[in-house]
Amino acid sequence: MSLQLREWDGPLTRDLVRHPPKVLGKAVCGFCSTGCGLKLHENGVVTPDLDYTVNQGTACPKGWEALSVLDAPDRATVPLHHGKPVSWAEAMSIFTTKMREVGPENAAFISTGQIMTEEMALLGAVAKFGMGILHGDGNTRQCMATAVAAYKESFGFDAPPFTYADFEQSDVLVFVGANPCIAHPILWQRVLNNKRNPKIVVIDPRTTETAAAATMHLRLRPKSDLALFYGLAHQIIQLGGTDKAFVQASTSGYEQMREHVQAYDLDRTSSETDIAMSDIRMLARWIVEGTPRVSFWWTMGVNQGHQATRTAQSIINLALMTGNIGKPGTGANSITGQCNAMGSRLFSNTTNLLGGHDFTNPIHREKVARATGIPLERIPTRPSLAYDQILQEVEEGRIKALWIIATNPAHSWIQQGRFQKLASKLEFLVVQDMYHSTETARMAHLLLPAAAWGEKEGTFINSERRHGYSMKVRRPPGQALSDFSIFRLVAESWGCGDLFREWSSPAEVFKILQRCSADQPCDITSIQGYEQLIREGGVQWPPGQGKERRLFEDGKFFTPDRKARFVVADPQPPIETPDDAYPLVLLTGRGSSAQWHTETRTGKSQVLSKLHPSELILTLHPSDAGHIVDGQKVLVQSRRGSIKATAQLRTTVRRGEAFLPMHNPQVNQLTLEVVDPISRQPSYKHCTVRVTAESTVGVVSSGRSGV
Amino acid sequence: MSIAIDTRSVSSRKPSLLLDELLLDQRVLRTPVVEISEHSGGRFSHLIPLTKPSPGEQYAFDVNLDACTGCKACVVACHTMNGLDENESWRDVFSITDTSSNLTQTITKACHHCEDPACANGCPVLAYEKDETTGIVRHLDDQCIGCSYCMMKCPYDVPKWNVKKGIVRKCDMCQSRLSAGEAPACVQSCPNEAIRIRVVKKDADVGVLFPGAFDRSYTQPTSVYHTKRKDLPSGTDQKSEAQHHGPLAWMLVLTQLSVGGILFGKHPLACALLGALGVAISTLHLGQPLKAWRAFLGWRKSWLSREILAFGAYVPLAGLSVIDPRATPLALAAGIVSVICSIMVYVDTRRPQWRWQVTVPRFAATTLVMVLPWMLVGPLAALLVWERHRFFTR
């Protein structure tokens, strides 16, 4: 005990660590697709990389906490067979024996956008070329499949055209179903960096944080986007906003599009979307006046819908008809979700053959066989079934074994009750994850403990097509192995290890993938290994001059005739519409910037957990509340399930609508399994519910007129 | 597609060898290939002032509400860049929402480095120091006794209780960074540059801090919040309730009963014991009781320091009155001063739930209970302690 009157210094004062400890390495963040550069320090400290082009020295809360979430008591440290620890040798023997018993033709794998490109490529190769599993899909089906399908058909290749600099160079930015303030805070930083005093338009049924910061917010009726964008196209044509020279030289199908949108006059558009005619007209004028610096940005509000692909294409149409593509500050731009969704799209060997190739194309198969050294006859001649179709096969008993890697469908798959029932039919469920506690891991017959981001190396591809490198700076707990090593073990154990001798390290696989990409739009053959990625702060595909680049500057697309396509369709009503029994439309989405998907990682950080409400909050419009008061406990019921929540009465949702954050494990008990028929991406953002006070049985009145 | 694999021929390579190799490889870390810059250097220097404040000026946080989107990077950066405990951060982001309109505004907030800091004025041990040049209100962690009175005094919920260390800690505007020409953690972490440090004039009349914030005349917070919005929603700042108030509830009831006992001529020994017990129990709420001997230091401004001094006189005098009844008037005087100090401890926080109209009747009534016979005092005391808990948590 000190006898000084005032202690200015001492152990408690020195307890603060004002200078982050030594830097061990750098990595591209493993949460979202923004792809921020992070510095990884000793003692689990992370700081943003000042030198990285993407984030320029800042990060969102998840990035700051990226390492601390790895220290958790529920990390998987040894393989578990029905919950009992087994050795890796036993685990592999069980894996191989059970998979052979079931037969690879009756097995499937579910990959992820959360592991390294090299890892997902090895998984796809071992499973399909080595083991003979035909069907595998990724959780990217839940977030990005729509953008893929739309781009492929419209541009001839899955090619998001933009670079983040376009945020800064645009005069009109139109965000559709996107809330970057919360979902991609570092991209919003780039928007605010825009010195051109841009008009920011948000098209979203909810008054999100981004909508609140926008110049104009169009609160459209959920899933009425097609009518809105056709109406806008019609207005733009009337205003003479078509870039005739560009349309003539670089597109096809304009005339059909023009005829199609004739029917969407202001009256119809306004009545189908609930948006005032004056607002539609004003946005059309802004687009015309802002050309050629108008950019369109969309994310899950578009990608998750019953007509999602056509909706994305209706946005692409606007960019094409006005020539807002291939120039600074333009583009029809899909902001990706997961850190490596783009890697999954190009290199997971699920829907596409490695390198964005086509399984059904014999020339592509031969090329990939040559590039990988895999015998041609081992390359399947058809693509995998989509996620929902794989689950359908499980339900119908044709697929009996499922191998799930780094994703948590027992929480995240739409209409959870159905998933849980069908998963219980599986003869063999293997889950490969860094935690043994996820909803899906707890159902596993065999759990394979995986090393996490920071404990392994490899590359991600971000939203703007940037390959970035992540370093291995920490050791995983126990016997956890990188997913890469686990796939090698599986290959060895299955007896096909010799096929993958060259696939001995992530760096070697990167070289193989480079060869696979040759002459594709995503050609990365000129990248000089990981060293160049580290040195230059990532490289966008296809590599070119400068730190940032966009596609289609020459007006040439990847279709056979090098012309982009206009694609249109007739709007259909959502499958489930409000009625007397279920009068409200339920929207789901991201809750806060501190939460990531099913919260298997972010839920481990105490400081992140402080940043959002601990209870499940249902946002409800005051006019729909009836006797329910703000803060009251309520039951939210759909035809599929019933969950409890706390009501928050806000006009940030429209009358007749309600919102729940997707991170809560129960929310998908309510959602309805509807998928876009083209992209097969689930529609998480439209089902109907009723809300009642927990203690009473009265039904909340519908606030919606005309439905 | 047919896949025929001859497993026997391929598994000639022993899987265990590969497994060992992979497990070993998993322990090998990749060392950095390039030299990595550790500090932000001058990267964010445009967000901090170029010069030190002149006399009559000080540093202040400047928040552009229009740029704050509520991403909360500042909260986590504060946590990381200061090496705080798992769930600790000195910066908060909350939102004010007007349910009648459609408006929400997120607000980021750390210490307002007030001109007349209530935390410092209330601290019984002078564990706060307002820097003369910079105006930064710094907390001396090693001086703190963990009484958490500053948390009640601060109307902006700034000082944060640290359970592990048994002390309070708070934002010091990353003083060491600022003095090295580097931006504070929150300033450099904001993707939208919503937070800056700037030099402000003292005694400047700048209106309300932000809608719903506590009346600034009490402490004169220096932070500046600005917006181009003309329609900011109204709302309220959050305040946490008093920490570990259990011992305080007991202390207040027992000491007030003790003083009342002397007033109404109850048995002096019982009164002295009640008082001594109350004071003894009060030390249980301290995070650093061994440092409490310094509690006299703050007597010039702190009602808590004065209360401690008054009880320090009252308890021995009450004891003395057991032996020598001539000490009774002195003990009674010290006791009444003590109860007045107790009242002022709460009234001085200016929190509505502790305004004098609430506090005076309660504390006085507790004292007056002793007019009743002992057999009624017992059950009433229990009721009073329960009521005192509510006093702290309502």
Side-chain angles (χ1 to χ4, degrees):
Chain A
M1 191 174 81
S2 167
L3 286 175
Q4 283 168 267
L5 280 182
R6 291 182 87 189
E7 286 187 72
W8 291 84
D9 196 11
L12 288 167
T13 307
R14 285 192 290 267
D15 182 78
L16 296 174
V17 185
R18 308 315 270 271
H19 286 291
K22 195 180 142 202
V23 179
L24 299 170
K26 289 186 177 189
V28 170
C29 182
F31 285 106
C32 90
S33 68
T34 304
C36 296
L38 302 176
K39 289 190 288 186
L40 312 185
H41 302 251
E42 281 179 337
N43 306 334
V45 172
V46 174
T47 60
D49 185 353
L50 296 156
D51 307 320
Y52 206 71
T53 316
V54 167
N55 51 314
Q56 303 168 357
T58 60
C60 83
K62 299 183 288 294
W64 283 92
E65 282 291 282
L67 281 179
S68 63
V69 300
L70 307 188
D71 296 319
D74 52 351
R75 280 295 298 270
T77 55
V78 285
L80 298 174
H81 186 228
H82 292 289
K84 293 201 179 59
V86 291
S87 71
W88 269 110
E90 286 171 291
M92 283 299 107
S93 157
I94 293 163
F95 181 94
T96 312
T97 312
K98 288 299 288 185
M99 282 291 188
R100 281 195 198 287
E101 249 175 59
V102 169
E105 66 283 359
N106 298 319
F109 66 91
I110 301 292
S111 178
T112 172
Q114 296 291 146
I115 60 176
M116 309 292 179
T117 310
E118 297 80 353
E119 295 181 321
M120 52 179 68
L122 181 57
L123 165 64
V126 167
K128 288 195 167 182
F129 306 155
M131 297 171 65
I133 293 177
L134 185 57
H135 298 301
D137 200 10
N139 65 0
T140 41
R141 183 69 61 182
Q142 293 158 281
C143 63
M144 280 302 130
T146 292
V148 177
Y151 281 142
K152 270 187 172 171
E153 191 177 6
S154 292
F155 294 163
F157 195 78
D158 176 16
F162 63 102
T163 181
Y164 292 156
D166 288 322
F167 286 117
E168 297 163 1
Q169 296 166 353
S170 217
D171 287 342
V172 180
L173 296 108
V174 183
F175 290 92
V176 190
N179 185 14
C181 285
I182 290 304
H184 300 90
I186 304 305
L187 297 186
W188 188 250
Q189 165 185 2
R190 302 294 292 262
V191 175
L192 294 192
N193 276 352
N194 187 318
K195 302 280 186 274
R196 306 175 62 88
N197 191 25
K199 294 189 170 74
I200 298 168
V201 181
V202 170
I203 298 174
D204 199 308
R206 285 195 306 138
T207 308
T208 60
E209 291 77 358
T210 313
T215 327
M216 187 204 295
H217 174 204
L218 301 187
R219 286 188 103 177
L220 83 170
R221 185 187 306 170
K223 301 303 161 206
S224 67
D225 310 56
L226 270 184
L228 176 64
F229 294 117
Y230 292 157
L232 277 171
H234 182 62
Q235 288 301 309
I236 290 168
I237 292 168
Q238 291 205 322
L239 290 168
T242 305
D243 181 341
K244 295 204 176 79
F246 178 83
V247 165
Q248 174 72 28
S250 299
T251 69
S252 64
Y254 175 76
E255 273 311 310
Q256 292 95 299
M257 188 276 292
R258 196 182 60 80
E259 268 168 41
H260 184 84
V261 303
Q262 287 290 323
Y264 295 86
D265 57 18
L266 276 180
D267 268 336
R268 176 177 176 181
T269 310
S270 175
S271 74
E272 290 187 8
T273 60
D274 298 342
I275 293 177
M277 291 192 255
S278 56
D279 285 346
I280 299 169
R281 241 189 336 243
M282 188 188 298
L283 178 54
R285 206 162 45 236
W286 284 4
I287 292 172
V288 172
E289 287 165 3
T291 300
R293 282 186 185 263
V294 181
S295 55
F296 300 87
W297 308 86
W298 80 83
T299 171
M300 296 313 147
V302 169
N303 284 348
Q304 298 174 339
H306 65 289
Q307 283 187 295
T309 306
R310 295 300 177 240
T311 304
Q313 287 167 324
S314 69
I315 300 170
I316 294 173
N317 291 350
L318 293 182
L320 291 176
M321 66 186 289
T322 53
N324 277 301
I325 196 142
K327 306 181 188 87
T330 64
N333 307 326
S334 147
I335 304 172
T336 312
Q338 303 180 75
C339 55
N340 205 15
M342 193 75 221
S344 169
R345 286 149 75 167
L346 291 177
F347 294 108
S348 66
N349 211 32
T350 51
T351 309
N352 299 321
L353 181 56
L354 291 172
H357 289 97
D358 183 354
F359 279 102
T360 63
N361 183 328
I363 300 167
H364 284 185
R365 290 199 301 273
E366 264 175 53
K367 179 181 159 191
V368 170
R370 263 198 317 279
T372 56
I374 299 287
L376 181 61
E377 67 276 12
R378 284 182 169 270
I379 299 180
T381 54
R382 58 187 170 114
S384 298
L385 292 175
Y387 205 145
D388 69 300
Q389 295 165 320
I390 290 174
L391 296 181
Q392 180 86 28
E393 297 276 296
V394 173
E395 195 167 46
E396 289 165 11
R398 282 189 292 278
I399 288 179
K400 301 184 173 88
L402 210 52
W403 179 14
I404 296 174
I405 298 100
T407 188
N408 188 13
H411 173 150
S412 67
W413 189 256
I414 197 162
Q415 200 175 328
Q416 201 176 80
R418 183 183 163 223
F419 177 87
Q420 284 172 345
K421 208 186 275 173
L422 66 87
S424 65
K425 284 185 164 182
L426 285 164
E427 287 178 25
F428 191 42
L429 174 62
V430 187
V431 175
Q432 185 169 321
D433 204 285
M434 57 184 284
Y435 301 108
H436 60 66
S437 59
T438 74
E439 286 80 0
T440 315
R442 289 203 300 264
M443 299 170 80
H445 303 139
L446 180 66
L447 178 88
L448 303 177
W453 173 92
E455 298 164 350
K456 58 185 185 179
E457 69 166 344
T459 60
F460 293 139
I461 313 176
N462 78 353
S463 272
E464 51 162 5
R465 313 178 316 280
R466 183 179 299 276
H467 293 256
Y469 174 71
S470 278
M471 223 170 253
K472 174 185 179 188
V473 299
R474 285 160 60 109
R475 298 183 179 91
Q479 298 205 350
L481 285 173
S482 70
D483 294 287
F484 192 88
S485 292
I486 297 173
F487 302 137
R488 288 187 69 201
L489 272 185
V490 166
E492 211 63 34
S493 172
W494 191 265
C496 58
D498 282 345
L499 282 177
F500 301 100
R501 287 290 163 250
E502 204 196 330
W503 305 56
S504 59
S505 70
E508 290 304 316
V509 171
F510 188 73
K511 286 180 198 158
I512 296 170
L513 299 181
Q514 283 183 290
R515 293 202 296 270
C516 289
S517 77
D519 303 322
Q520 284 286 84
C522 60
D523 189 331
I524 48 166
T525 46
S526 68
I527 293 178
Q528 303 297 310
Y530 288 168
E531 291 70 28
Q532 187 185 350
L533 300 183
I534 294 167
R535 195 174 59 241
E536 293 184 9
V539 175
Q540 283 174 291
W541 68 254
Q545 297 300 310
K547 280 202 162 179
E548 306 213 24
R549 62 162 309 183
R550 67 184 60 78
L551 299 177
F552 311 130
E553 287 179 331
D554 57 358
K556 300 262 186 289
F557 292 84
F558 301 125
T559 47
D561 61 4
R562 309 301 305 273
K563 288 182 173 184
R565 309 238 183 292
F566 286 95
V567 185
V568 288
D570 291 319
Q572 309 288 335
I575 308 302
E576 200 175 48
T577 50
D579 53 24
D580 289 343
Y582 297 93
L584 301 172
V585 172
L586 176 71
L587 315 172
T588 68
R590 187 171 303 278
S592 77
S593 62
Q595 291 167 289
W596 181 246
H597 294 179
T598 70
E599 284 240 272
T600 53
R601 276 184 292 170
T602 48
K604 304 294 188 296
S605 159
Q606 289 192 35
V607 71
L608 291 183
S609 299
K610 270 174 55 146
L611 304 184
H612 55 82
S614 52
E615 52 194 355
L616 176 61
I617 302 285
L618 173 87
T619 313
L620 190 64
H621 193 280
S623 346
D624 296 326
H627 297 299
I628 294 168
V629 296
D630 197 60
Q632 192 171 344
K633 298 267 182 283
V634 292
L635 274 183
V636 192
Q637 292 168 289
S638 77
R639 289 186 174 81
R640 294 147 300 276
S642 168
I643 68 173
K644 289 175 185 175
T646 302
Q648 184 186 51
L649 306 186
R650 292 284 186 274
T651 51
T652 51
V653 291
R654 288 162 29 110
R655 241 181 125 177
E657 289 157 25
F659 176 80
L660 283 173
M662 65 180 177
H663 315 287
N664 182 283
Q666 295 185 309
V667 167
N668 277 317
Q669 292 178 18
L670 303 174
T671 49
L672 167 67
E673 182 158 349
V674 170
V675 300
D676 172 55
I678 303 161
S679 69
R680 308 216 64 84
Q681 178 163 348
S683 173
Y684 285 93
K685 300 191 189 297
H686 203 288
C687 73
T688 61
V689 293
R690 65 168 166 244
V691 178
T692 51
E694 213 185 342
S695 47
T696 67
V697 285
V699 177
V700 173
S701 65
S702 165
R704 190 77 158 277
S705 55
V707 279
Chain B
M1 189 188 60
S2 73
I3 304 268
I5 301 162
D6 184 353
T7 51
R8 277 125 307 191
S9 70
V10 195
S11 34
S12 57
R13 182 192 164 100
K14 274 192 185 166
S16 64
L17 281 181
L18 176 68
L19 175 62
D20 293 342
E21 179 194 316
L22 294 176
L23 283 169
L24 193 68
D25 180 65
Q26 194 65 58
R27 318 312 293 174
V28 179
L29 303 180
R30 308 281 178 261
T31 49
V33 183
V34 288
E35 185 69 20
I36 293 166
S37 63
E38 294 235 17
H39 304 299
S40 67
R43 174 68 68 91
F44 304 100
S45 57
H46 62 293
L47 301 172
I48 58 174
L50 297 169
T51 52
K52 289 220 160 184
S54 312
E57 293 180 335
Q58 74 160 82
Y59 286 145
F61 283 116
D62 173 289
V63 178
N64 176 4
L65 288 174
D66 301 336
C68 175
T69 58
C71 82
K72 302 179 186 175
C74 51
V75 179
V76 185
C78 173
H79 158 82
T80 300
M81 300 282 277
N82 292 312
L84 305 186
D85 287 352
E86 286 83 351
N87 62 352
E88 189 180 11
S89 178
W90 297 335
R91 187 163 272 282
D92 298 301
V93 173
F94 61 98
S95 55
I96 48 179
T97 305
D98 196 331
T99 46
S100 65
S101 67
N102 204 9
L103 304 167
T104 294
Q105 175 66 55
T106 54
I107 291 183
T108 175
K109 178 199 78 182
C111 179
H112 299 306
H113 299 282
C114 302
E115 286 174 41
D116 189 18
C119 53
N121 294 342
C123 181
V125 296
L126 301 183
Y128 283 90
E129 184 69 21
K130 185 166 173 71
D131 188 273
E132 277 186 16
T133 319
T134 62
I136 290 172
V137 178
R138 188 191 153 195
H139 180 256
L140 312 181
D141 294 352
D142 281 285
Q143 180 76 2
C144 179
I145 60 172
C147 71
S148 70
Y149 184 47
C150 52
M151 299 174 66
M152 301 187 194
K153 280 281 283 175
C154 174
Y156 307 105
D157 199 21
V158 166
K160 304 289 182 198
W161 179 245
N162 186 309
V163 186
K164 259 195 225 163
K165 300 185 171 58
I167 58 167
V168 150
R169 305 207 280 191
K170 73 172 266 299
C171 159
D172 70 347
M173 212 185 253
C174 290
Q175 187 173 247
S176 58
R177 282 194 184 88
L178 262 183
S179 62
E182 220 184 293
C186 52
V187 173
Q188 53 175 291
S189 70
C190 178
N192 308 328
E193 301 190 351
I195 313 171
R196 290 163 191 256
I197 304 298
R198 72 176 215 200
V199 173
V200 295
K201 288 233 178 335
K202 289 184 185 172
D203 301 321
D205 180 20
V206 283
V208 287
L209 196 57
F210 50 79
F214 197 89
D215 175 13
R216 67 181 306 142
S217 67
Y218 177 33
T219 65
Q220 291 159 276
T222 63
S223 302
V224 183
Y225 288 84
H226 49 93
T227 174
K228 285 183 187 146
R229 278 174 77 164
K230 292 191 181 66
D231 52 359
L232 265 194
S234 58
T236 47
D237 192 358
Q238 337 134 299
K239 279 173 209 74
S240 61
E241 62 181 47
Q243 297 286 325
H244 45 231
H245 47 264
L248 294 180
W250 281 97
M251 184 276 272
L252 289 173
V253 170
L254 292 179
T255 55
Q256 285 155 17
L257 290 177
S258 167
V259 173
I262 292 196
L263 179 64
F264 295 110
K266 285 275 185 314
H267 194 286
L269 181 61
C271 296
L273 286 177
L274 276 177
L277 184 64
V279 170
I281 287 178
S282 74
T283 61
L284 293 178
H285 96 286
L286 297 179
Q288 297 280 351
L290 292 180
K291 295 180 176 178
W293 63 271
R294 298 194 181 101
F296 65 91
L297 286 175
W299 69 275
R300 282 171 196 275
K301 287 182 176 174
S302 166
W303 280 103
L304 181 60
S305 182
R306 291 168 193 166
E307 186 198 31
I308 293 166
L309 285 173
F311 276 121
Y314 168 69
V315 172
L317 284 172
L320 189 61
S321 70
V322 179
I323 307 159
D324 187 346
R326 281 174 303 172
T328 307
L330 272 178
L332 183 61
I336 289 170
V337 170
S338 302
V339 173
I340 291 171
C341 288
S342 291
I343 290 170
M344 286 311 295
V345 162
Y346 296 94
V347 172
D348 192 42
T349 63
R350 305 233 190 152
R351 297 204 179 194
Q353 73 267 36
W354 294 328
R355 62 190 185 276
W356 68 263
Q357 293 93 327
V358 175
T359 308
V360 172
R362 273 173 179 70
F363 288 16
T366 310
T367 313
L368 297 180
V369 157
M370 292 304 276
V371 79
L372 301 170
W374 276 112
M375 57 182 297
L376 289 176
V377 169
L380 265 176
L383 190 69
L384 286 167
V385 171
W386 172 80
E387 191 283 328
R388 211 47 55 88
H389 274 283
R390 293 201 53 220
F391 174 76
F392 282 108
T393 50
R394 56 204 230 123

